[in-house]
Amino acid sequence: MTPREMTQAFEQEHLSPFAARSQQTKGRKRPEEECSLRTPYQRDRDRILHCKSFRRLKHKTQVFLAPEGDHYRTRLTHTLEVAQIARTIARALQLNEDLTEAISLGHDLGHTPFGHAGERALNEVSPLGFRHYEQSVRVVERLEKEGEGLNLTWEVRNGILCHTCGEEAATMEGRIVRLADRIAYINHDIDDAIRGGVLTEEDIPKEVRAALGGRHSARIGTLIQSVVEHSAGGVLQMEPRVADAFSKLHTFMYDRVYYNSRAKAEEGKAEDLIKRLYEYFTSRPQKLPGEFAAICETEGKDRATLDYIAGMSDYYAIETFQRLFVPKGWGG
């Protein structure tokens, strides 16, 4: 047996009845010869990890725009924390850890510069609308590898598409990523807000701290433990007391951090920057780089401009704005 076949035999024998087995994948849009070493989901994980869009996540905002300090989360560190939480849950429930990791690593590939501020701006200004989870699928299907896409399995693409809202993923692994995403961002955003002086631990409601714990690690541990202990029959769930506290913590974070005028002071500028870039390139599509000019010809200038701007890092968006709209000193 090849290493892949041994892994797939292990999956068949040891994984939960609710797990997605790689041997039973719905496959890829373009059929490929099997790898002798890796299962289809392992190959998907590796393709995502090595793609350009994944590397750009290190320079994309999570919550705080251009924070002063090295320890604030970026979209990349958020992605890695989601993957860690999701893999822990998947392993404990005897689900497919490789599929879970692939979805986790790919779930935010289509996110804009400046976090949700950039997403809101593109959604407002473009007649096509914009949702980062749909763009993440477009990245892996259309934009990566010079337009060839990564040719991922159906289960990974479905998990990426369904990771945030609307219809749930078709697999348990995809549904785990959706929950892990929420666990990760709520807790690491608390950590960043405390670091930024927006919150203290004591600001968190007492009943939430009593149910979940008074430290970052304790909260994450409580939430994961509750999911593992109370999920059954293919349904992910927490015990009611923990689920209620987590819901209250979510509401608290929206009230105190996500809509906080200090934490979000620069978001209006970021949204204006994104809108100006969008208006510039849709009115001058000939200025788009070559690969996006090709998209412009086949799918229109709005689609090409969305793809170009959504793929920018924070730094590149600012640099492009300065180049286009900020006058340079005269070198005489």
Side-chain angles (χ1 to χ4, degrees), residues 23 42 57 64 79 94 105 176 205 239 269 291-292 319:
Q23 199 166 13
Q42 290 171 341
L57 295 177
F64 294 90
T79 294
Q94 295 180 299
L105 295 179
I176 284 174
E239 62 180 294
K269 296 178 185 177
E291 64 268 35
F292 299 100
E319 178 187 307

Side-chain angles (χ1 to χ4, degrees), residues 20-67:
R21 288 161 169 78
S22 61
Q23 199 166 13
Q24 296 163 357
T25 175
K26 292 184 179 180
R28 309 178 188 279
K29 287 189 173 181
R30 300 188 303 275
E32 297 179 5
E33 184 177 345
E34 290 277 21
C35 175
S36 64
L37 297 177
R38 298 167 297 163
T39 71
Y41 300 148
Q42 290 171 341
R43 294 179 80 185
D44 285 359
R45 173 203 60 204
D46 295 350
R47 289 177 185 187
I48 292 168
L49 186 64
H50 292 287
C51 77
K52 291 184 291 186
S53 300
F54 185 80
R55 294 196 292 276
R56 287 199 298 269
L57 295 177
K58 67 181 177 180
H59 293 306
K60 291 195 178 191
T61 291
Q62 175 59 27
V63 169
F64 294 90
L65 294 177

Side-chain angles (χ1 to χ4, degrees), residues 109-174:
L109 290 179
H111 227 301
T112 58
F114 311 118
H116 290 288
E119 182 175 22
R120 283 194 302 272
L122 287 180
N123 190 50
E124 288 175 14
V125 75
S126 174
L128 300 178
F130 185 89
R131 287 159 290 276
H132 80 273
Y133 48 92
E134 294 176 349
Q135 188 68 15
S136 294
V137 176
R138 182 167 171 81
V139 167
V140 301
E141 288 187 341
R142 175 69 175 84
L143 300 180
E144 273 292 336
K145 293 188 70 175
E146 288 72 47
E148 292 183 9
L150 301 180
N151 197 30
L152 305 181
T153 58
W154 182 88
E155 292 79 8
V156 173
R157 290 181 283 120
N158 172 262
I160 291 172
L161 180 64
C162 300
H163 82 264
T164 187
C165 62
E167 183 180 352
E168 285 195 328
T171 63
M172 282 284 287
E173 290 81 1

Side-chain angles (χ1 to χ4, degrees), residues 310-330:
M312 293 180 176
S313 65
D314 293 11
Y315 299 147
Y316 185 68
I318 292 170
E319 178 187 307
T320 302
F321 182 88
Q322 291 175 331
R323 175 170 55 82
L324 296 177
F325 299 111
V326 178
K328 297 178 181 178
W330 183 58

Side-chain angles (χ1 to χ4, degrees), residues 15-21 94-95 171-173 175 232-235:
L15 292 188
S16 161
F18 302 103
R21 288 161 169 78
Q94 295 180 299
L95 298 169
T171 63
M172 282 284 287
E173 290 81 1
R175 296 196 285 276
V235 178

Side-chain angles (χ1 to χ4, degrees), residues 84-286:
Q84 179 268 321
I85 291 170
R87 287 177 59 195
T88 299
I89 296 172
R91 187 185 305 120
L93 295 178
Q94 295 180 299
L95 298 169
N96 195 311
E97 195 174 338
D98 296 323
L99 173 58
T100 305
E101 185 177 24
I103 297 169
S104 298
L105 295 179
H107 82 280
D108 269 354
L109 290 179
H111 227 301
T112 58
F114 311 118
H116 290 288
E119 182 175 22
R120 283 194 302 272
L122 287 180
N123 190 50
E124 288 175 14
V125 75
S126 174
L128 300 178
F130 185 89
R131 287 159 290 276
H132 80 273
Y133 48 92
E134 294 176 349
Q135 188 68 15
S136 294
V137 176
R138 182 167 171 81
V139 167
V140 301
E141 288 187 341
R142 175 69 175 84
L143 300 180
E144 273 292 336
K145 293 188 70 175
E146 288 72 47
E148 292 183 9
L150 301 180
N151 197 30
L152 305 181
T153 58
W154 182 88
E155 292 79 8
V156 173
R157 290 181 283 120
N158 172 262
I160 291 172
L161 180 64
C162 300
H163 82 264
T164 187
C165 62
E167 183 180 352
E168 285 195 328
T171 63
M172 282 284 287
E173 290 81 1
R175 296 196 285 276
I176 284 174
V177 173
R178 184 169 180 162
L179 179 58
D181 185 32
R182 196 164 179 244
I183 292 173
Y185 77 70
I186 288 293
N187 283 286
H188 65 50
D189 292 350
I190 291 172
D191 196 38
D192 281 356
I194 291 172
R195 180 172 290 106
V198 176
L199 284 181
T200 67
E201 283 282 2
E202 290 69 32
D203 291 328
I204 299 170
K206 288 183 179 179
E207 65 270 25
V208 172
R209 284 184 281 144
L212 302 183
R215 302 188 319 279
H216 175 76
S217 59
R219 282 188 296 270
I220 293 177
T222 298
L223 291 165
I224 293 174
Q225 189 77 29
S226 188
V227 172
V228 170
E229 290 181 353
H230 293 84
S231 297
V235 178
L236 293 174
Q237 57 191 2
M238 302 176 189
E239 62 180 294
R241 177 171 176 264
V242 171
D244 181 63
F246 189 41
S247 178
K248 288 178 179 176
L249 183 60
H250 191 267
T251 301
F252 168 79
M253 286 296 289
Y254 270 87
D255 292 341
R256 291 293 301 272
V257 176
Y258 301 138
Y259 296 138
N260 181 283
S261 58
R262 179 181 170 191
K264 299 299 183 178
E266 300 297 299
E267 281 198 352
K269 296 178 185 177
E271 291 184 26
D272 288 343
L273 183 154
I274 293 293
K275 290 178 180 179
R276 290 280 301 278
L277 290 179
Y278 184 87
E279 291 162 0
Y280 178 88
F281 286 109
T282 51
S283 63
R284 302 168 182 84
Q286 70 276 11

